[in-house]
C-alpha cells in the first residue's frame, strides 16, 4: 500500500511539473507583452523595447512562429510611433516574412497596413501602394471590414501623393460624408486635412482654409498632436498665400511650438542614448544569431562546398586555356578601352571626393554654428554667476566652467576658420600696416602667458624693414599668435624669440623672413610631418598635460599657403623648436601713415541709464542679455521677432538696438534694412553665431553698425556698447 502511494505521489509531481512548464512558456510571452504594454502606457519606451525583445527571444527559443511574428510586428509599430521609419520598415518586413509561413490572419493584414504607413513616412509611395494592395487583399480574403476606412484613407493619401487627385478626392469625400462618431474622428479629420491640401494645390485658398478649420475642430476631439501640427502648418501656408501675414505668423508659431513639444515628448519616451543602446544590443544579438546559423550552415555544407570549389577550379582552368588565344588577339583594343574607362572612373572619383569634402565642410560649419547659441548661454550664465559674489566653494567650479566655455569657443572658431579656408571663402585684404607695431602688439597681448611660465619673450626686428607695408595684418596676426602661443605654452623657464629679417627688396616688393624659436620640450622626429594635420599634437601625453585643440598649426599652414608661402619646422626633443617662413609683401611708397587703433575701454558712466532694445527669439539668450544690461543699470526692452522690432522703433526712441540675425519671420538683416528706411541714426549691433556663409562685411552691408559674435566675451560686449552709446 505504501509503495502504491509513493508511485502515485511521484506521478502527480511529474504531471504537475509538465503542466507548469507548458504554462510557464505560454505565460512568459504574455507576461513580457503585458509588461511592455504597461510601459508603453507610461511612455517608458526603453523598458517597452526591452520586454518586447524578451518576448521575441522567448518565442523564437520555443519555436512559436506566430507569437514571434506578433511581437516583432509590435516592435515595428513602436518604432513607427517614435518616427523611426527605417527601423519600423525593417522590423515590420521581418514580421511579414514570418507571417508568410503561416495561415493568413488579421495581424498579418495590420502589419502590411503599418508597413504602408512607414513607407508613407519615408515618402516611398510606390512601396506604400504595394503594402496597401496587400492589406486590401488579405482583408478581403478574411472578410475583415473593421478597418476599411483606415485602409481607404491610406489608399487615398497614396493617390494624392502620386498626383491621382480625382481618385483621392472621391475617397476623401466618402469618408468626410460619414457621421461623426469616436471611432472615425481621427480618420475624418485626416480626410478633411488632405482635401484642404488638394484645394490649396488648386489655389482655392478659401475652400482649403474651410477644410483645414473643420479638420482642426475634429482634431480637438481626438488629441492627435502630429495631425494638429500638420494642420496648423497648412493653415499658416494658406494665410501666407492670401497675404495675411499676421495669421500666417500666428499659426506658424503654434505649429513650431507644438512640433517642439512633440519632439520633446518623443525624447522623453526614449532618450537617444537608450535608443542607440537598444539598437546596438539588437545588432549584437542578430550578429550572434547569424554567426551561429553560419557555423551550422558551414558544417552541413562543408563537403558540398569543397566539391563546388574543385568543380569551379576545373572549369576555370579549362576556360582560361580556351580563351587565352582569343584574348591575345583582342588585348590591344581592350587595353585602350580600359584606359578610357579608368579615366572616366577617375573623373567620377574626383567629383565624388569634391562632393564629400564639401559635405564635410558644410557639416562641420553647421555643427560649429549650432553650438554657438547654447555655448553663449553657458558663458553668459557663468559670467553672471561670477558677478554675483559666489561662495568660495563655488568659485573653483565657476572658473573651471568659464575656462571650458572659452576653450570650446576657441575650438569652434578654429573649426570654422579651417572650413572657411578649405571652402575658399576667405578673402585676403591688401591694406597698409606697420609690421613692427603689429608684432609689438602681439607681444603685449601674450606677455602674461610668458610671465606665467617664467619665459624670456624677445623681439628681434630688422630696422631695415619698411615701416609701411601692404598685406593682410589680420591673417598675419592669426599666424603669429598661434605660433607664439604654442612656443610660450610648451616652454617653461626658458626663452622665446621672434625674428623678423629683411631678405631682399625688389622694386615695390619686400621679402621678409620670420622665425619663432623656443627652448621648450621639442617635438619627436617621427611627429614632425604630422603636427600640421588637424587634431594632431606631439603625443597623447602632451595633449593631456598642455591641452589644446590640435588645430593651431593646421590653421597656420593653410593661411601661409593662402598667402603663397609655407612653414618650415626644425625641432629637437628636449631642446626646443624653430618655426620659420618667408613672405613677399608690397611696399607702400605713397607713405600713407598707418592708423593707430585705440582700444575702447569700458566706462560705466557712458552707458548707465541708456535705453536699449534687444531683438532676440531665444529665451535663454534673452534672459542673459537682459541681466547683463540691467547689472550695468541699463534700461532694456526685449522683443522676439523682426516685425515687432520695426514697429517698436517707429513708435519709440532707443539709444541702441541689439539685433539677432536669425529670427522667426523676417530675419534680423531684413528688419535692419526696413528700419534704415526711416531711422538712419540709431546704432544697430548684429548679434550672431556667425557661420561659414556669413561674414562681418555682409552683415554691415544691411545697415548694421557693428557685429558681436556669439559666444561673446562680456568685456568686449560692454566695450562695444560703450563705443556706440558714447557717440
Amino acid at each position: 500500500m505504501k509503495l502504491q502511494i509513493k508511485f502515485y505521489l511521484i506521478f502527480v509531481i511529474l504531471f504537475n511539473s509538465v503542466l507548469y512548464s507548458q504554462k510557464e512558456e505560454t505565460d512568459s510571452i504574455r507576461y513580457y507583452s503585458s509588461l511592455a504594454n504597461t510601459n508603453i502606457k507610461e511612455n517608458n519606451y526603453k523598458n517597452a523595447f526591452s520586454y518586447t525583445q524578451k518576448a521575441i527571444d522567448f518565442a523564437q527559443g520555443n519555436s512559436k512562429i506566430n507569437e514571434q511574428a506578433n511581437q516583432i510586428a509590435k516592435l515595428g509599430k513602436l518604432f513607427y510611433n517614435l518616427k523611426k521609419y527605417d527601423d519600423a520598415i525593417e522590423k515590420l518586413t521581418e514580421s511579414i516574412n514570418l507571417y508568410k509561413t503561416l495561415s493568413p490572419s488579421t495581424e498579418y493584414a495590420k502589419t502590411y497596413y503599418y508597413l504602408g504607413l512607414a513607407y508613407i513616412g519615408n515618402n516611398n509611395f510606390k512601396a506604400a501602394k504595394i503594402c496597401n494592395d496587400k492589406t486590401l487583399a488579405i482583408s478581403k480574403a478574411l472578410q475583415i471590414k473593421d478597418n476599411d476606412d483606415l485602409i481607404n484613407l491610406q489608399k487615398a493619401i497614396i493617390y494624392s501623393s502620386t498626383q491621382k487627385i480625382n481618385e483621392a478626392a472621391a475617397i476623401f469625400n466618402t469618408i468626410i460624408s460619414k457621421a461623426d462618431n469616436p471611432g472615425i474622428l481621427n480618420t475624418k479629420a485626416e480626410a478633411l486635412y488632405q482635401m484642404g491640401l488638394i484645394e490649396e494645390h488648386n489655389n482655392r485658398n478659401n475652400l482649403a482654409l474651410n477644410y483645414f478649420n473643420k479638420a482642426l475642430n475634429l482634431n480637438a476631439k481626438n488629441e492627435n498632436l502630429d495631425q494638429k501640427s500638420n494642420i496648423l502648418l497648412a493653415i499658416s501656408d494658406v494665410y501666407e498665400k492670401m497675404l495675411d501675414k499676421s495669421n500666417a505668423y500666428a499659426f506658424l508659431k503654434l505649429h513650431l511650438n507644438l512640433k517642439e513639444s512633440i519632439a520633446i515628448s518623443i525624447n522623453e519616451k526614449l532618450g537617444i542614448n537608450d535608443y542607440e543602446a537598444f539598437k546596438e544590443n539588437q545588432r549584437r544579438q542578430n550578429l550572434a544569431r547569424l554567426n551561429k546559423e553560419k557555423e551550422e550552415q558551414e558544417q552541413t555544407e562543408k563537403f558540398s562546398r569543397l566539391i563546388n570549389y574543385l568543380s569551379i577550379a576545373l572549369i576555370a582552368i579549362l576556360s582560361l586555356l580556351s580563351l587565352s588565344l582569343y584574348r591575345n588577339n583582342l588585348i590591344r583594343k581592350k587595353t585602350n578601352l580600359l584606359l578610357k574607362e579608368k579615366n572616366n572612373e577617375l573623373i567620377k572619383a574626383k567629383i565624388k571626393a569634391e562632393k564629400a569634402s564639401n559635405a564635410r565642410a558644410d557639416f562641420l560649419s553647421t555643427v560649429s554654428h549650432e553650438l554657438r547659441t547654447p555655448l553663449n548661454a553657458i558663458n553668459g550664465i557663468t559670467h553672471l554667476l561670477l558677478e554675483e559674489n559666489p561662495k568660495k566653494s563655488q568659485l573653483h567650479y565657476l572658473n573651471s566652467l568659464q575656462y571650458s566655455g572659452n576653450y570650446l569657443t576657441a575650438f569652434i572658431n578654429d573649426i570654422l576658420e579651417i572650413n572657411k579656408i578649405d571652402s575658399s571663402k576667405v578673402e585676403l585684404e591688401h591694406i597698409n600696416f606697420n609690421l613692427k607695431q603689429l608684432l609689438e602688439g602681439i607681444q603685449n597681448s601674450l606677455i602674461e602667458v610668458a610671465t606665467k611660465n617664467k619665459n624670456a619673450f624677445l623681439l628681434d626686428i630688422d630696422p631695415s624693414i619698411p615701416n609701411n607695408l601692404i598685406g593682410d595684418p589680420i591673417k598675419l596676426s592669426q599666424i603669429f599668435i598661434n605660433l607664439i602661443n604654442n612656443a610660450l605654452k610648451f616652454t617653461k623657464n626658458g626663452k622665446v624669440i621672434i625674428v623678423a629679417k629683411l631678405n631682399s627688396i625688389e622694386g615695390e616688393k619686400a621679402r621678409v623672413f620670420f622665425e619663432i624659436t623656443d627652448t621648450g620640450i621639442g617635438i619627436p622626429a617621427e611627429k614632425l610631418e604630422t603636427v600640421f594635420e588637424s587634431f594632431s599634437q606631439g603625443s597623447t601625453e602632451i595633449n593631456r598635460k598642455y591641452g589644446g585643440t590640435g588645430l593651431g598649426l593646421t590653421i597656420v599652414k593653410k593661411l601661409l599657403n593662402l598667402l603663397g608661402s609655407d612653414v618650415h619646422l626644425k625641432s629637437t626633443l628636449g631642446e626646443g623648436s624653430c618655426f620659420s617662413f618667408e613672405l613677399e609683401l608690397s611696399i607702400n611708397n605713397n607713405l600713407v601713415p598707418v592708423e593707430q587703433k585705440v582700444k575702447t575701454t569700458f566706462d560705466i558712466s557712458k552707458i548707465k541709464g541708456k535705453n536699449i532694445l534687444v531683438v532676440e527669439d531665444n529665451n535663454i539668450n534673452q534672459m542673459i542679455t537682459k541681466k547683463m544690461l540691467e547689472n550695468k543699470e541699463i534700461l532694456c526692452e526685449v522683443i522676439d521677432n523682426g516685425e515687432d522690432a520695426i514697429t517698436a522703433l517707429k513708435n519709440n526712441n532707443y539709444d541702441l538696438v541689439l539685433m539677432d540675425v536669425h529670427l522667426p519671420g523676417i530675419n534680423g538683416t531684413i528688419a535692419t534694412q526696413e528700419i534704415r528706411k526711416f531711422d538712419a541714426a540709431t546704432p544697430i549691433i548684429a548679434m550672431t553665431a556667425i557661420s561659414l556663409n556669413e561674414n562681418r562685411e555682409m552683415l554691415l552691408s544691411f545697415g548694421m553698425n557693428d557685429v558681436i559674435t556669439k559666444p561673446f566675451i562680456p568685456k568686449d560686449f560692454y566695450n562695444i556698447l560703450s563705443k556706440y552709446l558714447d557717440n
Side-chain angles (χ1 to χ4, degrees):
M1 183 66 179
K2 291 182 180 179
L3 189 62
Q4 288 178 340
I5 293 172
K6 185 176 181 181
F7 278 115
Y8 175 77
L9 289 173
I10 293 171
F11 174 78
V12 169
I13 292 169
L14 290 173
F15 181 75
N16 285 337
S17 66
V18 171
L19 287 177
Y20 179 79
S21 65
Q22 291 177 346
K23 184 176 184 297
E24 186 183 28
E25 287 182 3
T26 304
D27 288 348
S28 291
I29 297 172
R30 188 183 304 129
Y31 173 69
Y32 289 135
S33 183
S34 175
L35 288 175
N37 292 335
T38 301
N39 280 280
I40 291 170
K41 291 177 182 178
E42 295 173 356
N43 284 332
N44 189 343
Y45 275 52
K46 174 186 176 181
N47 288 341
F49 282 147
S50 178
Y51 287 123
T52 304
Q53 186 60 52
K54 287 181 179 180
I56 293 169
D57 294 340
F58 190 89
Q60 184 179 6
N62 290 277
S63 300
K64 296 181 179 294
I65 305 300
N66 187 60
E67 290 293 335
Q68 185 182 352
N70 290 342
Q71 294 301 322
I72 293 173
K74 182 177 180 179
L75 191 58
K77 293 171 188 175
L78 290 177
F79 284 139
Y80 171 78
N81 291 336
L82 291 172
K83 302 184 185 302
K84 304 293 183 181
Y85 298 125
D86 290 333
D87 294 330
I89 290 168
E90 178 186 347
K91 288 300 171 186
L92 292 170
T93 302
E94 183 180 347
S95 174
I96 285 169
N97 289 333
L98 290 173
Y99 279 130
K100 286 178 180 178
T101 64
L102 306 169
S103 300
S105 63
T106 303
E107 290 300 322
Y108 187 25
K110 286 182 179 178
T111 304
Y112 261 120
Y113 169 75
Y114 272 94
L115 183 58
L117 290 179
Y119 277 123
I120 289 173
N122 265 356
N123 295 320
N124 188 345
F125 298 103
K126 184 177 179 180
K129 185 180 184 306
I130 295 172
C131 294
N132 183 260
D133 291 341
K134 286 283 189 181
T135 307
L136 284 169
I138 298 169
S139 298
K140 185 176 180 181
L142 298 175
Q143 296 183 344
I144 303 170
K145 295 185 178 181
D146 294 343
N147 297 320
D148 283 354
D149 289 331
L150 287 174
I151 297 169
N152 288 329
L153 176 66
Q154 187 183 77
K155 185 176 184 179
I157 291 172
I158 295 168
Y159 277 150
S160 178
S161 300
T162 54
Q163 303 305 312
K164 294 182 179 180
I165 304 302
N166 294 333
E167 294 90 334
I171 298 174
F172 290 141
N173 285 322
T174 300
I175 296 172
I176 291 168
S177 65
K178 294 191 176 185
D180 289 351
N181 64 70
I184 200 174
L185 287 180
N186 189 64
T187 306
K188 192 171 180 179
E190 185 64 24
L192 286 165
Y193 164 70
Q194 293 292 338
M195 279 302 299
L197 292 178
I198 291 173
E199 296 302 338
E200 181 186 1
H201 178 75
N202 292 329
N203 293 320
R204 292 194 283 266
N205 294 324
N206 287 321
L207 191 55
L209 195 58
N210 185 39
Y211 276 115
F212 290 143
N213 284 325
K214 288 181 179 179
L216 194 60
N217 290 335
L218 279 182
N219 173 267
K221 300 176 183 179
N222 60 43
E223 297 183 350
N224 185 333
L225 296 182
D226 284 321
Q227 187 182 73
K228 183 177 180 180
S229 176
N230 293 333
I231 296 169
L232 291 172
L233 179 60
I235 292 174
S236 174
D237 290 339
V238 172
Y239 274 126
E240 186 174 8
K241 289 182 179 179
M242 296 169 71
L243 303 180
D244 188 346
K245 299 293 184 182
S246 178
N247 275 324
Y249 173 74
F251 279 95
L252 178 62
K253 195 168 184 178
L254 289 173
H255 159 73
L256 293 174
N257 289 338
L258 183 56
K259 185 177 179 182
E260 183 179 0
S261 176
I262 292 169
I264 292 171
S265 176
I266 290 175
N267 287 336
E268 288 176 349
K269 289 177 181 178
L270 179 65
I272 186 64
N273 291 333
D274 295 334
Y275 180 76
E276 293 300 330
F278 174 77
K279 291 296 295 176
E280 177 62 19
N281 185 50
Q282 274 204 322
R283 186 191 70 78
R284 289 177 180 174
Q285 288 183 351
N286 289 336
L287 185 62
R289 178 174 54 80
L290 290 173
N291 287 336
K292 184 177 179 181
E293 292 175 357
K294 184 179 178 181
E295 288 175 2
E296 292 173 354
Q297 187 178 4
E298 285 176 352
Q299 290 296 326
T300 56
E301 296 180 355
K302 188 174 181 181
F303 182 75
S304 177
R305 204 162 48 237
L306 180 61
I307 298 299
N308 289 337
Y309 289 156
L310 291 173
S311 300
I312 292 169
L314 182 60
I315 293 170
I317 292 169
L318 292 174
S319 299
L320 288 171
L321 290 173
S322 302
L323 292 172
S324 60
L325 292 174
Y326 178 74
R327 290 184 63 187
N328 286 335
N329 293 331
L330 297 177
I331 193 163
R332 290 182 182 178
K333 292 182 180 180
K334 285 191 175 183
T335 301
N336 291 335
L337 181 62
L338 182 62
L339 287 173
K340 186 176 181 180
E341 289 176 353
K342 289 298 181 183
N343 284 335
N344 291 335
E345 288 177 5
L346 286 172
I347 292 170
K348 289 179 181 178
K350 180 185 176 185
I351 294 171
K352 187 176 181 181
E354 289 174 350
K355 288 181 178 179
S357 178
N358 291 335
R360 178 188 64 82
D362 290 342
F363 170 75
L364 287 175
S365 175
T366 301
V367 170
S368 300
H369 177 263
E370 290 303 320
L371 284 173
R372 286 178 179 273
T373 298
L375 189 54
N376 185 58
I378 293 170
N379 289 355
I381 292 171
T382 304
H383 169 75
L384 292 174
L385 291 173
L386 284 169
E387 279 196 337
E388 292 180 358
N389 296 320
K391 296 178 181 178
K392 190 174 182 181
S393 61
Q394 297 171 333
L395 190 61
H396 170 71
Y397 299 113
L398 290 174
N399 287 330
S400 298
L401 183 60
Q402 187 179 51
Y403 171 81
S404 299
N406 293 336
Y407 173 85
L408 282 175
T409 302
F411 181 60
I412 292 168
N413 288 338
D414 286 348
I415 291 176
L416 194 60
E417 184 66 31
I418 290 174
N419 280 341
K420 283 184 177 180
I421 297 170
D422 290 342
S423 303
S424 301
K425 294 191 176 183
V426 174
E427 295 183 3
L428 294 176
E429 289 187 331
H430 299 280
I431 60 176
N432 189 35
F433 73 98
N434 185 299
L435 181 62
K436 181 179 179 182
Q437 291 176 359
L438 183 143
L439 291 174
E440 288 176 346
I442 292 172
Q443 184 186 34
N444 291 333
S445 67
L446 296 176
I447 194 69
E448 187 177 342
V449 180
T451 304
K452 182 180 178 181
N453 284 347
K454 299 179 181 179
N455 290 323
F457 188 11
L458 307 175
L459 280 180
D460 182 5
I461 302 175
D462 190 342
S464 59
I465 297 175
N467 288 330
N468 294 286
L469 297 172
I470 297 175
D472 192 328
I474 294 176
K475 300 294 180 295
L476 278 176
S477 296
Q478 285 182 271
I479 293 167
F480 285 121
I481 288 172
N482 274 307
L483 291 175
I484 297 171
N485 193 51
N486 271 357
L488 292 171
K489 181 170 69 172
F490 293 117
T491 304
K492 289 188 177 181
N493 300 313
K495 185 185 296 184
V496 175
I497 303 173
I498 292 85
V499 174
K501 179 182 177 183
L502 180 65
N503 273 358
S504 63
I505 293 180
E506 297 178 5
E508 296 183 350
K509 301 288 184 180
R511 297 194 68 83
V512 183
F513 173 78
F514 298 97
E515 188 176 73
I516 295 88
T517 306
D518 65 69
T519 59
I521 62 174
I523 301 170
E526 66 273 12
K527 296 288 184 179
L528 293 178
E529 294 296 324
T530 61
V531 291
F532 295 101
E533 297 175 2
S534 297
F535 306 107
S536 176
Q537 293 184 315
S539 68
T540 304
E541 291 76 15
I542 289 173
N543 185 26
R544 289 172 181 167
K545 182 176 180 180
Y546 295 94
T549 65
L551 295 174
L553 292 181
T554 305
I555 293 173
V556 167
K557 187 174 182 65
K558 288 180 180 290
L559 287 176
L560 282 173
N561 290 341
L562 204 63
L563 295 170
S565 182
D566 201 0
V567 62
H568 303 283
L569 169 61
K570 296 178 182 178
S571 184
T572 303
L573 193 62
E575 295 182 8
S577 303
C578 176
F579 293 85
S580 62
F581 58 92
E582 189 177 67
L583 288 175
E584 185 177 80
L585 300 168
S586 299
I587 302 171
N588 184 4
N589 289 323
N590 295 325
L591 299 178
V592 177
V594 178
E595 294 183 5
Q596 296 294 317
K597 292 185 179 180
V598 179
K599 286 190 176 180
T600 307
T601 55
F602 169 56
D603 184 354
I604 192 171
S605 65
K606 296 180 180 179
I607 64 176
K608 184 177 179 181
K610 299 290 185 178
N611 188 15
I612 291 180
L613 175 65
V614 177
V615 187
E616 169 66 68
D617 66 315
N618 184 281
N619 292 334
I620 296 176
N621 284 338
Q622 287 177 359
M623 180 271 293
I624 292 170
T625 307
K626 184 176 181 180
K627 184 68 175 175
M628 289 181 68
L629 294 174
E630 290 176 347
N631 282 354
K632 304 304 178 187
E633 300 183 45
I634 299 174
L635 302 177
C636 173
E637 180 180 346
V638 177
I639 291 176
D640 66 356
N641 64 85
E643 292 89 343
D644 291 347
I646 295 170
T647 303
L649 279 157
K650 284 182 178 178
N651 300 325
N652 302 283
N653 291 322
Y654 298 97
D655 295 306
L656 186 140
V657 178
L658 292 173
M659 179 74 72
D660 186 25
V661 173
H662 301 283
L663 295 169
I666 64 172
N667 60 32
T669 54
I670 304 302
T672 301
Q673 278 187 322
E674 293 299 316
I675 292 168
R676 287 308 183 212
K677 291 179 181 178
F678 61 85
D679 183 352
T682 304
I684 300 177
I685 311 298
M687 296 184 71
T688 177
I690 201 161
S691 68
L692 188 65
N693 297 314
E694 294 177 351
N695 57 59
R696 178 184 176 86
E697 289 69 26
M698 182 270 285
L699 295 174
L700 295 182
S701 69
F702 287 96
M704 294 170 169
N705 299 82
D706 213 326
V707 179
I708 296 176
T709 302
K710 299 176 187 176
F712 54 77
I713 299 171
K715 181 180 178 182
D716 295 341
F717 173 73
Y718 290 129
N719 281 342
I720 291 177
L721 294 185
S722 177
K723 172 184 175 183
Y724 287 97
L725 291 174
D726 184 35
N727 293 334

